[in-house]
Amino acid sequence: MRNDHFVVPNWQARPNQHLPEREHDPRSPWQRDRGRIVHSAAFRRLQSKTQVLGIGHNDFYRTRLTHSLEVAQIGTGIVSQLRGSVQASIPLPDPMLVEALCLAHDIGHPPFGHGGEVALNYLMREHGGFEGNAQTFRILTKLEPYTPFDGMNLTRRTLLGVSKYPVLINRIMRTENPPSISNFRQLKAADWLPAKGIYDDDQGLYTWMLAPLNEHDHQYIQSVTGDGLTLHQRSCYKSLDCSIMELADDIAYGVHDLEDAIVMGLLQRDIWQQQVVEKIKRLPKCWLNEHIDETTSQLFSPHHYAQKNAIGALVNAFITAIHVSHNSEVSEPLIAYQACMDEPYHMALNYLKQFVLNYVIQTPDIEQVRYRGQQIVMELFEAFSSDPMRLLPLNTQERWQKADENDNNPYRIIADYIAGMTDEYALRLNQRLFG
């Protein structure tokens, strides 16, 4: 496979190298990683987790599962485009590796989307916090029972590629939190947005993941920005593979969630014209602003085939505007190279994402559903933490007891259990407990 000979074998290593491989298995390491992700319970649960609009409202729009499939399709498209435009010495990822990253990138998200994430982060505020990407790393390396103790036992390069924020959360958490609330109903989501990183509880695998880096590159990948007082700091860098996955995720979010909103009749054309079209027309000359009027007519056409053509044209425009940049001060190629989008298209994609955020995600109807999910998650956590050895499932009770006995962090076990629930299961369990 092209570029595989540029990859240091250390990046193909697995946490547990002693597990026997299947006899005569012809697959590459990336194919094996992809297979483990696709066949995991955590991946299947994405079919019943909220993307933007709540599960059960309509069978047309996207769930976390269909979103992840589309991100994978876009990710492999980005790799194909780059293969024809960059030097052969650049270690572009194998398409199977990119698929693995894209399929796995959302498996740590809890039920009820960001409402559930905020709820768990508040409840874990004194126990290491909660964040969807950190939970993804934890599922891959520890929770998914492909192996007894090493999760899916994925390759080091796959783990680095799925780590959008490769820093420990304790390094970037703000030092000043808002006051605690006296009643769950009073929790303001904006006050408890999570720090984005990797849990301190998973520091051992995090350290192993970065082990091949020299001291300079090790410090580089852990660079952060921000004051860290009332706002969390943010990580600055990621791997080449991760930059491709993140661009694919952004394109899917900005374009495909837009499609859902238009088909469902949630967007008005005059607002789209004002908030997106006029801004895109002011960008430097490019294919996108030259064709935005035609694209708009197709997006708001009563014919679905016209809408599909417009969505496909937008996705293609963004994919073909991606290039690879290089930082000569970094010695590890997997970090020195980054996939980037040409600036006019990057700005246009941000317009789309902001438009979806303002006129779809943060509308009162959607926020009310998210608020309800937030309350459900908080009630479940309160119940389980009040009497874990009575209310948790037997296998989770065992994990709780071992963590408590070893002074590890038993509350992380409760967060793991709730985060793994689908929206529907969390709702049913809440009704069973509280009526």
Side-chain angles (χ1 to χ4, degrees), residues 258 267-283 292-293 296 299-300 348 351-352 354-356 358-359:
L258 170 70
L267 295 178
Q268 298 177 0
R269 182 167 177 170
D270 58 337
I271 298 177
W272 161 264
Q273 188 75 28
Q274 176 186 356
Q275 296 296 322
V276 178
V277 174
E278 296 306 321
K279 293 179 180 178
I280 288 178
K281 285 184 175 181
R282 292 195 290 270
L283 293 174
I292 190 62
D293 288 333
T296 296
L299 280 174
F300 290 89
Y351 295 153
L352 292 187
Q354 193 63 45
F355 183 72
V356 170
N358 292 341
Y359 293 96

Side-chain angles (χ1 to χ4, degrees), residues 236-342:
C236 299
Y237 305 111
K238 56 184 69 67
S239 72
L240 168 64
D241 306 336
C242 188
S243 68
I244 293 172
M245 177 267 283
E246 190 169 37
L247 283 171
D249 190 24
D250 285 348
I251 293 170
Y253 171 80
V255 178
H256 289 142
D257 290 349
L258 170 70
E259 179 187 16
D260 279 359
I262 290 175
V263 174
M264 296 298 293
L266 301 177
L267 295 178
Q268 298 177 0
R269 182 167 177 170
D270 58 337
I271 298 177
W272 161 264
Q273 188 75 28
Q274 176 186 356
Q275 296 296 322
V276 178
V277 174
E278 296 306 321
K279 293 179 180 178
I280 288 178
K281 285 184 175 181
R282 292 195 290 270
L283 293 174
K285 186 176 181 180
C286 61
W287 182 94
L288 199 56
N289 55 23
E290 292 176 353
H291 293 81
I292 190 62
D293 288 333
E294 175 189 351
T295 302
T296 296
S297 297
Q298 293 180 331
L299 280 174
F300 290 89
S301 167
H303 305 295
H304 286 312
Y305 64 82
Q307 293 172 341
K308 281 294 181 187
N309 186 64
I311 293 298
L314 285 173
V315 170
N316 181 72
F318 289 124
I319 288 177
T320 54
I322 293 173
H323 63 278
V324 174
S325 65
H326 181 247
N327 183 347
S328 59
E329 297 179 0
V330 180
S331 59
E332 171 53 57
L334 292 182
I335 299 173
Y337 291 99
Q338 293 281 291
C340 307
M341 189 175 289
D342 297 342

Side-chain angles (χ1 to χ4, degrees), residues 88-108:
S89 59
I90 296 177
L92 290 177
D94 183 273
M96 284 293 177
L97 172 57
V98 171
E99 277 202 28
L101 304 181
C102 294
L103 294 174
H105 83 282
D106 263 356
I107 63 174

Side-chain angles (χ1 to χ4, degrees), residues 12-65:
Q12 296 185 16
R14 301 180 185 275
N16 189 335
Q17 289 286 86
H18 304 294
L19 292 177
E21 294 185 4
R22 291 187 175 90
E23 190 175 4
H24 306 307
D25 188 345
R27 298 174 299 167
S28 71
W30 326 123
Q31 287 176 299
R32 290 198 290 275
D33 284 358
R34 179 187 180 278
R36 293 174 191 186
I37 291 163
V38 167
H39 293 289
S40 67
F43 181 70
R44 290 196 299 277
R45 291 191 190 104
L46 295 178
Q47 66 186 309
S48 297
K49 288 194 177 186
T50 293
Q51 170 64 10
V52 174
L53 305 172
I55 300 298
H57 286 80
N58 188 288
D59 61 3
F60 166 78
Y61 50 70
R62 290 158 171 91
T63 65
R64 289 275 180 193
L65 179 63

